[in-house]
Amino acid sequence: MGLSTSRVAITLKPQDPMEQNVAELLQFLLVKDQSKYPIRESEMREYIVKEYRNQFPEILRRAAAHLECIFRFELRELDPEARTYILLNKLGPVPFEGLEESPNGPKMGLLMMILGQIFLNGNQAKEAEIWEMLWRMGVQRERRLSIFGSPKRLLSVEFVCPRFPR
């Protein structure tokens, strides 16, 4: 039983306070999903500005629509009594060059987080903002990780298309 998202516009205008709440909730859901534990409604409400908490159902509907259309996740209510939710991946394995060995693995997750951050910032993001978001997730620029090596190289070489002269 997923949330009805058919009537929600798929645009984010972060300068609009309502949309800012949607963006905050969306980012929380994407980060929280990494833990693979159910997401409690009470946790989600903490990310909504107090003045907008009475509009939580609409904010949740909009966030669910963005999750579905952009990330191909379905926000599904797991337990109505406990008010817990999970994100279900509706996207099968997608072959990306350099990510073939594990298309749904750590590199894909990191790429989705970065693209989500760019989307939440109006389809643009400064490099410093990306690194700040990654730092909050425990990924440091110069710290080599066993799951995908150097984060700096991954972002600057594997994820970024080379620029060719026109």
Side-chain angles (χ1 to χ4, degrees):
M1 169 177 147
L3 296 174
S4 172
T5 58
S6 59
R7 293 187 174 187
V8 180
I10 305 301
T11 57
L12 272 178
K13 300 172 189 148
Q15 65 275 16
D16 174 20
M18 180 74 155
E19 293 299 317
Q20 183 61 38
N21 280 287
V22 172
E24 291 288 331
L25 180 58
L26 186 59
Q27 188 168 17
F28 165 75
L29 290 168
L30 290 168
V31 171
K32 181 70 175 179
D33 181 58
Q34 299 299 309
S35 73
K36 299 301 176 201
Y37 287 104
I39 304 162
R40 293 188 318 267
E41 183 177 306
S42 60
E43 292 175 302
M44 290 188 271
R45 287 182 179 273
E46 291 175 20
Y47 284 83
I48 307 300
V49 175
K50 192 178 281 187
E51 296 82 39
Y52 287 87
R53 287 191 183 150
N54 63 334
Q55 296 180 36
F56 177 76
E58 177 62 20
I59 293 169
L60 184 62
R61 258 191 308 282
R62 290 183 188 190
H66 285 79
L67 285 167
E68 188 169 338
C69 291
I70 290 144
F71 299 103
R72 301 298 296 154
F73 282 126
E74 178 186 347
L75 181 63
R76 184 173 289 183
E77 190 169 23
L78 185 63
D79 182 351
E81 283 187 28
R83 294 186 179 191
T84 55
Y85 297 80
I86 58 170
L87 293 182
L88 299 176
N89 185 349
K90 296 173 71 175
L91 188 64
V94 178
F96 283 103
E97 189 174 321
L99 300 174
E100 298 90 358
E101 57 277 348
S102 58
N104 288 324
K107 286 182 182 180
M108 181 64 79
L110 192 64
L111 178 60
M112 288 295 120
M113 293 301 299
I114 292 168
L115 293 174
Q117 179 72 21
I118 293 168
F119 172 74
L120 293 173
N121 285 312
N123 294 329
Q124 59 186 356
K126 295 179 181 169
E127 184 178 357
E129 294 169 340
I130 298 295
W131 284 112
E132 168 67 22
M133 183 257 314
L134 293 173
W135 180 81
R136 285 182 284 163
M137 294 172 43
V139 177
Q140 297 170 11
R141 183 187 312 232
E142 303 298 332
R143 189 169 149 213
R144 190 167 178 76
L145 299 170
S146 61
I147 53 177
F148 47 69
S150 166
K152 183 176 180 180
R153 183 185 182 290
L154 183 66
L155 268 66
S156 61
V157 176
E158 292 186 44
F159 287 170
V160 177
C161 295
R163 294 187 181 186
F164 296 103
R166 294 179 191 205

